[in-house]
Amino acid sequence: MLEAFFAPMAVVSVLDSAAIQQGSLPIGARRMISAAVRLEDLGKLEAVVSAAKLAFPDAHTEIDAYLAEVQTPTTPLKVEAFVVKGTPPEPPKYSFLENLDGRIDLNAAYTDGNTDTSNLGALLKVNLKRETNIHRIEAYANVGRANAQRIQDNWGASYQMDTLWTDDIFGYTRVSLESDQFSGFDYRAFVGAGAGHYFVQQESLSLRGEVGPGFRYSQQTTDGQENGDLVVYGAIDTKWDVLEGWRLEHDSKLTLSDPSTTVTTRSQLSTALTEALRAGLAYELQFEENPPNDREKLDTILKFNVSYGF
């Protein structure tokens, strides 16, 4: 039993002797000196060092070296503040009016005498840019009377979103709805998508075109017949500041299909009255290849417009 009790102590003594022979300070002496240094009492430290040298007479040099090592002040480890680099920026915030532009056109005419006629029309165009998308909204309405008989009644609205792929090339999706009973249609709905190109982008001149497939659904006025057909849609928009204050604009839209091809154009020459107001003449043309019920294929109208831009 006693042999088992004293065996660990014997092992420690053997290990300490071996450590001294190899030139390193025994672990027991290290712990004594380290504990005494932490007490910060010089008298107790000297006593512990003397006791260690008495206990390990062959390790005086190692004890002095270790004492100098533990008494040497250390420099605190400086840890730099952790900063996340490359944090993604916050998404841009827009006010409602930022990158918003458009115009409102109004026209009216009235005659009295042998023939009483009146015409009233309005056109709205709005463009809203958000990052790489441009939202385009267009709406129009026209009414006309002659001798108390309605001779014109049409309206339409469209929404188109352009997505810029490059500075010059874009893709688009488009939906529209229009009605023109005097041309023989209660309504016409269109949905399509395609691609477009900015041929010219200058401050005084811009020219863009687009083309793509679509689907058009129509209902005729007289018999209510409904037709749906695949079409090819194309458009060209031009704006040219000819002279200071004078502007020429031209929009053309083509809807090509087997039953009937439709072409609409609008040309306008205007001059600036103020920074926001313009006045000018507009010429509109609509061609229907196969109008229902032998209606006229071609409709044209010349208007005097007043425009407000924003």
Side-chain angles (χ1 to χ4, degrees):
M1 295 293 293
L2 293 175
E3 290 81 355
F5 178 77
F6 287 110
M9 298 179 62
V11 172
V12 171
S13 178
V14 172
L15 293 175
D16 286 346
S17 298
I20 294 172
Q21 292 175 2
Q22 294 176 2
S24 61
L25 186 63
I27 187 65
R30 289 174 178 269
R31 290 179 177 177
M32 292 170 56
I33 296 171
S34 177
V37 170
R38 287 197 297 270
L39 291 175
E40 297 182 355
D41 188 324
L42 184 59
K44 293 180 179 180
L45 176 61
E46 290 177 353
V48 169
V49 171
S50 297
K53 288 182 177 181
L54 288 175
F56 304 100
D58 297 330
H60 288 191
T61 302
E62 288 80 359
I63 290 173
D64 291 338
Y66 182 70
L67 178 63
E69 179 183 344
V70 296
Q71 286 183 323
T72 301
T74 58
T75 303
L77 179 63
K78 295 182 179 181
V79 180
E80 296 183 359
F82 180 71
V83 179
V84 178
K85 297 183 179 181
T87 302
E90 294 184 0
K93 298 179 180 179
Y94 298 97
S95 67
F96 177 75
L97 297 179
E98 188 175 0
N99 294 328
L100 174 71
D101 66 87
R103 77 169 194 264
I104 300 174
D105 293 357
L106 297 175
N107 61 82
Y110 178 77
T111 63
D112 189 12
N114 294 322
T115 302
D116 298 333
T117 61
S118 62
N119 297 90
L120 180 64
L123 171 67
L124 170 67
K125 283 190 173 184
V126 177
N127 298 323
L128 177 64
K129 185 174 182 180
R130 290 291 182 264
E131 297 182 355
T132 59
N133 295 325
I134 303 175
H135 305 271
R136 303 182 185 276
I137 299 174
E138 184 174 341
Y140 69 90
N142 297 286
V143 295
R145 289 180 177 275
N147 294 326
Q149 298 292 324
R150 182 167 292 188
I151 59 173
Q152 185 183 28
D153 185 0
N154 58 54
W155 57 267
S158 65
Y159 166 76
Q160 179 169 319
M161 183 179 73
D162 296 351
T163 300
L164 297 174
W165 297 337
T166 67
D167 291 340
D168 299 326
I169 302 174
F170 61 92
Y172 74 87
T173 55
R174 178 181 178 86
V175 293
S176 66
L177 179 66
E178 58 185 0
S179 173
D180 191 345
Q181 296 183 357
F182 286 89
S183 294
F185 297 99
D186 278 341
Y187 68 85
R188 272 183 163 178
F190 171 84
V191 58
H197 186 268
Y198 285 90
F199 299 99
V200 181
Q201 288 193 84
Q202 299 177 2
E203 185 176 353
S204 60
L205 176 63
S206 66
L207 173 63
R208 63 187 290 271
E210 60 199 31
V211 65
F215 182 81
R216 182 170 65 178
Y217 191 81
S218 307
Q219 183 181 59
Q220 297 183 10
T221 302
T222 54
D223 55 9
Q225 181 179 349
E226 298 179 351
N227 297 305
D229 54 285
L230 295 175
V231 301
V232 175
Y233 169 82
I236 293 178
D237 296 340
T238 307
K239 183 185 295 184
W240 181 22
D241 291 334
V242 184
L243 299 170
E244 184 177 358
W246 288 89
R247 177 176 298 168
L248 178 63
E249 299 172 81
H250 179 80
D251 301 338
S252 295
K253 293 179 175 61
L254 168 68
T255 306
L256 180 65
S257 70
D258 184 30
S260 181
T261 295
T262 305
V263 179
T264 60
T265 67
R266 186 177 192 273
S267 301
Q268 175 171 302
L269 178 64
S270 63
T271 184
L273 302 178
T274 66
E275 185 175 351
L277 290 176
R278 306 185 67 87
L281 290 174
Y283 180 76
E284 297 181 4
L285 177 150
Q286 180 171 329
F287 173 80
E288 189 71 35
E289 182 184 13
N290 295 311
N293 302 313
D294 297 327
R295 301 291 178 93
E296 291 291 334
K297 292 185 178 183
L298 184 65
D299 287 326
T300 62
I301 186 171
L302 183 64
K303 301 177 179 179
F304 174 76
N305 286 330
V306 175
S307 302
Y308 173 75
F310 55 90

